Every structure is written in C-alpha cells, then in structure tokens.
Amino acid sequence: MTMTPRETILKAFAMQPTERVPVTLFGGGMWSIKDYGTTFEELSTNVDKNVEMCVAEAEKIRSDIVYVGSGFNNFHAIALGRKLGVGVKFREIGAPDMTAHVVSSEEDIAKLDMEDLFRDPVVLSVMDATRKVRQKIGDKYLVTMTCWGPFTLAARFVGEETFMKATFKKPAFVEKMVDFCADLLIKLYEPLVKDGVEALSIADPTASGDLINAKQMARFAVPPLKKLSDWARSKGAHTILHICGNTADRLDLFPQTGCSTIFFDQKVDIAKAREALLGKMSFGGNVAPVHVLLNKTEAEVEAACREVIDVAGKDNRGFILVPGCDIPPTITFENLKKFHDVALNWKY
C-alpha cells in the first residue's frame, strides 16, 4: 500500500519508517507565484486565484507539504500596525514588506490589539485560502499556513537592529515582546486548527545562528517557540520550524522547542545534525537553494540530494529532504523536478 504525501510526512514527524524519502520545499511562494504568472499584490485579496495557484502548483511541484501564504508573513505585523502608520510595500519580485516599525517600549506593546488580525483583509484572505486548499487537497498533502516565528515577528515590530541591541540593553522588554508574539500566533492559528489545519509553519530567520548566539537563542527564541508548539500539540497540530544560518553550535536546543521537525540551513553540517537529533526529533535539510538548486545542472542536483540522503536519511527515522531555505523564484523547473524525483523514487 502506497502512503500519500501527507501520510509520509506525518510518519517522518513521528520518526517512524516511510516507504521513500519524505521531501518538501520550505515555503516556495515566490517560485510558485512566478511560475503561475501572478503577483503577491493580486493574490493578497483574490482568494480563489490563491487557491487555484496552490492546488495547481502542488500537483506540479509534488512536495509532501503545501504552504499557503508563503511570502505573506509580514501582514501579521502589518495588521496590528496599520492604525499606527504601518503600510505595505509590494515589490516587482519578492515578498511584500512593511514600511515602518512601531514598537520601542513595553507601553507600545499595550497599544497593539490582537483582534486587528481579523480585521485585516489580507490576513483574512490568506486564512480563507488555507481552509479552501485544505478542503481540496488536504487528504493528499499536508496543508499549512506560513508565519514568522515569535522572535522574528517581534523584531519586525521593533526593527531588527534595534531588537538585536535590546537583547543586551533591554532583555525584559525582549522577553515580553516575544511572549506577546507567541500569543499573537496562537490567536492567528486557533481558528485554522479548529477548522482542521494540521500544522503550523514557522520561519524564524532573525533567530539565525548568524545573528544571535546560543545563549541568546535559549533565552529569547526557545521559550516562545515552546509555548507555541505546546499549544499546537494540545490541539493535535504539528509545528514545522526553519531557522536560517549556522546553528550547529546549539543543536541540543531544537528538541527543547517542542517543534515536530526542524529544517536546517545549508550551513549546518547535516551529519552532526543527524548525530545530535536522531531518535529525538525529526529533522530536514539541507540542499543549498542557490549554490546547488539555482546554479548547478540536473545531474549535479541529483548528486547533491543523494549525498544528503546518504548522510542523514539512511536510518529512515524522521529525515526529510528539504532545501536549506526558501528557494529563489528563478530556479528551473527541471532542477526542482530532479530535487523531488530523487526522494520520490528513493525506496527504503
């Protein structure tokens, strides 16, 4: 009996054997939007087109996970910041950005109203699309909606450079801000999980190993992730985590997040990740999205995927083949197809 992509990835989260190597992109919004011939601005309020794109690209790409809202993560901060002057900047290529940062003190946190999430047309549009995509293809694929992790979302409200300094100068403020953001994300996902969405997809790039050290991550990034994943687990939902950069010096922290799986950046030695996490937590990685998927030939992509699987996936206990980060929109379909073919045709 052949497992569906959804069944395969859920087995991987549980660190149980699968019939082939689980495989997924992380996000993939920019690539899908370019391939489908639409724009972030058009999809921001067009639920039906967003659903059509997600369903069509899911069948074309063949990842085990379908990410709705990939690239719309900034709108969760924009929604609460609109009345404080935050606007949206749509780009010709790439995800929309927010135009201002509005939190600099604990008093400013008190001005933010979480109910504004559900007054924002873009947030509501993406949530509606997530429900409809799950209804259409949720039996086959694991359907999720993307967001920033609590540490990154907090930095979006504050401004990244100011937030980095605050981890040294105003640590109590940082702790309150990341806790607020964990609660905000629970507020965001609660209606979706209630409607059957089975996973939260969390990108936490500002908690990158290239930006904060292990001690800072343990104090400021892990507790809100744990709060979020504990809530998800209590509702029967999974939590998918990706953190950019080299996090090889803090591999022991990832099981403490409580997340179902961690997708590693290409800077992480995947052999060391396997050694640290095998039997403790599902993990994925880490084919370089630019150096390999964008710039190499199909044969070289195949060789790179096989090398990662040979090192990290030989145990068949929770490894997932994933690019080291979200992919550029300019990767050829042939290379993307080869990336998936290696895993889909790999028989355990």
Side-chain angles (χ1 to χ4, degrees), residues 31 57 78 91 118 211 309:
W31 193 93
E57 293 295 329
I78 292 169
R91 306 170 185 276
F118 307 122
L211 292 176
I309 295 170

Side-chain angles (χ1 to χ4, degrees), residues 42-71:
E42 182 180 21
L43 295 184
S44 65
T45 53
N46 191 331
V47 176
D48 290 341
K49 189 151 189 175
N50 199 356
V51 173
E52 291 166 8
M53 182 200 75
C54 289
V55 171
E57 293 295 329
E59 294 300 327
K60 182 174 182 177
I61 295 172
R62 300 169 300 150
S63 282
D64 294 331
I65 303 173
V66 175
Y67 305 84
V68 184
S70 172

